Amino acid sequence: MIGQDGGVPIPPLRRQPVQRRSAERLGRILDACAELLDEISYEELSTRAVAERANVPIGSVYRFFSNKRAMAEALAHRNLDEYAARITRRLAASEPGPDGGPGSGPDGGGGWREAMDVVVDEYLAMKRGAPGFALIEFGNPVPATAQPQQPNHLVADRLRMLLADRLASGGPDGAGGNGEAGDSGGDEAAEERLRVAFLLAVETADALLRLAFRVDPEGDPAIVAETKELLRAYLARVLD
């Protein structure tokens, strides 16, 4: 099953919802899982508790998920889809208007630097308000089943896809400078450098923003601001 913007697949369900009623029930199960994770630890979470909160039979939970880990993984991937959707909406609102002027949204258009600010801001918004996100985020605390599926790898790859247009216009010759990633045939070395740069940026931002929320439950503003500056300075080496 592919994410809503054509991104990474979510973990396979035991049964795919075909009818609208079944899809709505799956949504209620994941909503209930998220709500409970705001109240209890992952260790205390149970499929029975989720079924009771969602007001569905326990069999409905097992129709989709073999255990609570599979359910939490699906929630993490839904979080990533929602994160991507929020970024997409913000960036769309900042696109130039019909007359070529700034977009009608609050972000007013811009290149990759402004886009990275949106990436950080939307993460902060979900961290502060999305049910269950503070514990699960995009994969924690559930261990990844395979090395390539580690949460930050998924986030980095999704962000590169979302920001492709902004990256292409980030410098005078496209992403990577000197026309490396702007060539129509695509330069494998430049693409790999961009992939690694985004992974390191995501790993670094993840560590610093976790620190921001340890210092202040709402995310320490000074650490958040420094994180944005660090990301801009580091990615400029690749994108300008």
Side-chain angles (χ1 to χ4, degrees):
M1 183 174 178
I2 302 300
Q4 60 189 352
D5 64 352
V8 296
I10 68 170
L13 303 173
R14 297 183 81 177
R15 178 179 298 180
Q16 295 291 340
V18 177
Q19 299 179 342
R20 179 178 177 180
R21 181 179 177 184
S22 181
E24 290 175 346
R25 179 170 293 183
L26 172 60
R28 291 206 311 273
I29 290 170
L30 291 178
D31 288 344
C33 178
E35 291 172 6
L36 284 169
L37 287 171
D38 273 346
E39 303 169 9
I40 60 178
S41 68
Y42 173 74
E43 288 72 21
E44 296 173 302
L45 183 72
S46 70
T47 52
R48 184 168 299 280
V50 170
E52 291 175 357
R53 177 64 63 92
N55 195 27
V56 300
I58 186 68
S60 293
V61 175
Y62 285 115
R63 183 172 294 117
F64 296 114
F65 305 110
S66 57
N67 51 42
K68 72 175 184 179
R69 171 175 172 160
M71 184 166 50
E73 286 181 340
L75 176 61
H77 280 257
R78 190 178 76 165
N79 285 342
L80 182 53
D81 272 348
E82 174 60 20
Y83 180 52
R86 293 172 71 125
I87 293 170
T88 299
R89 288 193 294 269
R90 284 279 300 276
L91 295 181
S94 72
E95 290 297 324
D99 59 354
S104 59
D107 304 304
W112 67 264
R113 288 174 174 80
E114 289 77 10
M116 289 307 299
D117 283 352
V118 169
V119 165
V120 173
D121 290 342
E122 290 304 323
Y123 171 84
L124 295 174
M126 290 189 70
K127 187 79 169 177
R128 292 164 179 153
F133 187 82
L135 185 62
I136 291 292
E137 294 195 2
F138 306 119
N140 296 319
V142 184
T145 56
Q147 191 75 4
Q149 296 296 310
Q150 289 183 356
N152 283 342
H153 285 73
L154 299 182
V155 174
D157 288 343
R158 181 70 72 93
L159 290 178
R160 277 193 301 116
M161 288 187 288
L162 285 179
L163 304 181
D165 291 342
R166 303 281 177 133
L167 300 181
S169 60
D173 297 300
N178 301 318
E180 291 180 35
D183 296 337
S184 58
D187 185 277
E188 292 185 5
E191 182 63 24
E192 176 63 11
R193 186 184 182 207
L194 186 63
R195 185 194 68 78
V196 171
F198 260 75
L199 178 58
L200 291 179
V202 168
E203 291 281 2
T204 301
D206 181 40
L208 291 176
L209 293 176
R210 287 178 186 275
L211 173 62
F213 280 92
R214 288 200 301 270
V215 172
D216 182 336
E218 290 298 310
D220 183 77
I223 296 176
V224 170
E226 289 298 312
T227 299
K228 290 181 177 181
E229 288 295 325
L230 185 149
L231 290 176
R232 288 180 174 220
Y234 171 67
L235 289 174
R237 299 169 58 250
V238 179
L239 301 180
D240 281 349

